[in-house]
Amino acid sequence: MTQSTEPSTGVAEQDIAEREADRGATGRGDDQATGPVQAGPRRVQRTVNFERTVLERARAAATYLAAYEPQAGVRSLADIVNPAVEARVAELEAEFNDGKPFRPVYRMPAGRPARNVPRPEELEHE
C-alpha cells in the first residue's frame, strides 16, 4: 500500500483558512466578497440548525416516504428541505427585493447579524 506524499489538509484546517481569507485586511469579515455564483457541484453540504421538533418530523417523513411511498419523490431529507428553502427564498425575494434574486455572496458572515444594520445600498450613498 502506497501513501501519498502530499500533505493532507483536514476539514477544520480548510475552514480556518477560508475564514481567515474571508476576513480580508480589516480582520472583521465585513468585506465579504459578492458577485456571480461560482460554478461547482450541484449539491453542497452545509451545517444548518433546525428546531428539534421540526427536524424530527422531517426525518420521520423522509424515512417513511422513501420506504413506502415512492410516488412522493422523497428519497432523503434533502428532498424535503431543498424545495422548502427554495419556496421561502422566492417569497422573501418577492416581498423584499421586487421579485429579483438577492445579490449573491460567496461567504456569509459568521454569527448572528446585528440588528438595524444599514442596507448595502444605504451605505453606498454615504
Side-chain angles (χ1 to χ4, degrees), residues 9 46 50 55 63 71 75 78 85 91 106 112 116 119:
T9 304
R46 290 289 179 256
F50 292 91
L55 177 59
T63 302
Q71 72 276 12
R75 295 179 296 143
V85 171
E91 290 174 11
Y106 294 129
R112 293 183 182 206
N116 300 320
R119 294 178 179 180

Side-chain angles (χ1 to χ4, degrees), residues 32-40 101-107:
Q32 298 297 311
T34 61
V37 176
Q38 295 177 334
F102 290 102
R103 183 175 60 162
V105 296
Y106 294 129
R107 304 285 276 152

